[in-house]
Amino acid sequence: MRYLMKLIDFYINSSIHVALSVFAMVIMTGYLFGINDVKSSALFAFFGTIVAYNFVKYDALARRKKLEMRTELKLIAVLSFFSFLAAVFFFFQLERITKIIAVAFLILTMLYTLPFFPNRKNARNWAGVKIYIVAFCWVGITLFLPIINAGIALTPDFFVIAIQRYILIFVLILIFEIIDLRVDDPNLRTVPQQIGVEQTKIVGGVLLLVFILLGFFQTSFLFFTLLIRLGVAFIVLLFLLFAHERRSKYYSSFWVESIPIFWLGLVILLDANT
């Protein structure tokens, strides 16, 4: 059991799990918009997420020499290196315009991590900004990137889905911010730090209601799609309501981050039975 837990910890700490969630959302974009070949976008997003998340999580601490290169971190560094090579390989399989967009998100990720200006903190530490940047990057990589790469026009339905996805990611991050309330720097001014846990849950619940209602504005409205979104919103709401500062790290880093994977599973399952 001890070795199994170590394996699970490595799976989470090395960002493989969150990368699978990103991969699932790109695949789901392919389902929603009928993209026959979304493989390059999905694999670029998967390997790029491993590199980006590990860079964000470990770069600052490594530069300050606060991390000892224990075995797990060495393995994560090796995984990140090979993931970088894979991301570069799939990057060159994208269309030119998609490459430009991907580079733009790379710059945003670097801005999020590295202090570009003297005596200034990086964007990750700008008060109240973190949640908006992360949600925007998720929507860009999992929705905008594969749509542009496939040459699909940006219809009103696209923007409705983009807003829905942004809302969902935003609420998922709220759960993380509640769980991390005890360890987050007060200067970060996360949503729970500013308005409290209970108010954060109310905001999240209202946003999930908007997430559901936006579906009625789609021109390609399908009943089974509404059922899926109701199910996903209900599960997210439960995780939000039961979130608190004493929750295990697995509550957010494993179970909450599994929701996009579960969402894709529902889409495939119900689509196969219609």
Side-chain angles (χ1 to χ4, degrees), residues 175 179 238-239 242-243 247-253 255-256:
I175 299 173
I179 302 295
L238 288 179
F239 274 107
F242 288 100
R247 284 289 183 189
S248 161
K249 67 175 183 178
Y250 301 107
Y251 185 87
S252 54
S253 296
W255 294 110
V256 172

Side-chain angles (χ1 to χ4, degrees), residues 157 215-223 225-226:
D157 278 0
F216 293 100
F217 290 91
Q218 287 183 243
T219 56
S220 56
F221 176 81
L222 293 173
F223 182 69
T225 304
L226 175 62

Side-chain angles (χ1 to χ4, degrees), residues 250-263:
Y250 301 107
Y251 185 87
S252 54
S253 296
F254 183 81
W255 294 110
V256 172
E257 283 187 350
S258 296
I259 289 174
I261 302 171
F262 171 73
W263 189 1

Side-chain angles (χ1 to χ4, degrees), residues 107-203:
I107 293 172
L108 183 60
T109 301
M110 293 178 67
L111 178 64
Y112 180 73
T113 308
L114 300 174
F116 273 82
F117 307 103
N119 303 319
R120 294 292 181 91
K121 295 181 178 180
N122 54 37
R124 191 182 188 189
N125 294 313
W126 293 349
V129 169
K130 173 184 174 181
I131 190 170
Y132 304 101
I133 293 178
V134 175
F136 177 72
C137 285
W138 270 69
V139 174
I141 294 296
T142 66
L143 183 65
F144 195 67
L145 201 92
I147 291 294
I148 294 299
N149 196 63
I152 296 176
L154 303 185
T155 64
D157 278 0
F158 166 84
F159 292 103
V160 170
I161 292 174
I163 296 171
Q164 284 182 312
R165 193 165 294 188
Y166 187 93
I167 288 173
L168 186 75
I169 299 303
F170 191 93
V171 176
L172 291 178
I173 299 172
L174 288 180
I175 299 173
F176 276 81
E177 291 191 343
I178 292 173
I179 302 295
D180 294 339
L181 193 56
R182 287 189 301 174
V183 297
D184 275 342
D185 186 335
N187 293 323
L188 283 177
R189 295 187 65 190
T190 62
V191 176
Q193 288 174 343
Q194 294 184 71
I195 64 175
V197 172
E198 294 307 315
Q199 291 297 318
T200 299
K201 292 180 178 181
I202 292 172
V203 169

Side-chain angles (χ1 to χ4, degrees), residues 16 18-19 59 66-67 86 111 136 151 235 242 244 246 268 273:
I16 296 175
V18 66
D59 173 73
K66 290 184 179 181
L67 279 179
L111 178 64
F136 177 72
I235 291 169
F242 288 100
H244 55 72
R246 297 178 300 280
I268 295 174
N273 289 282

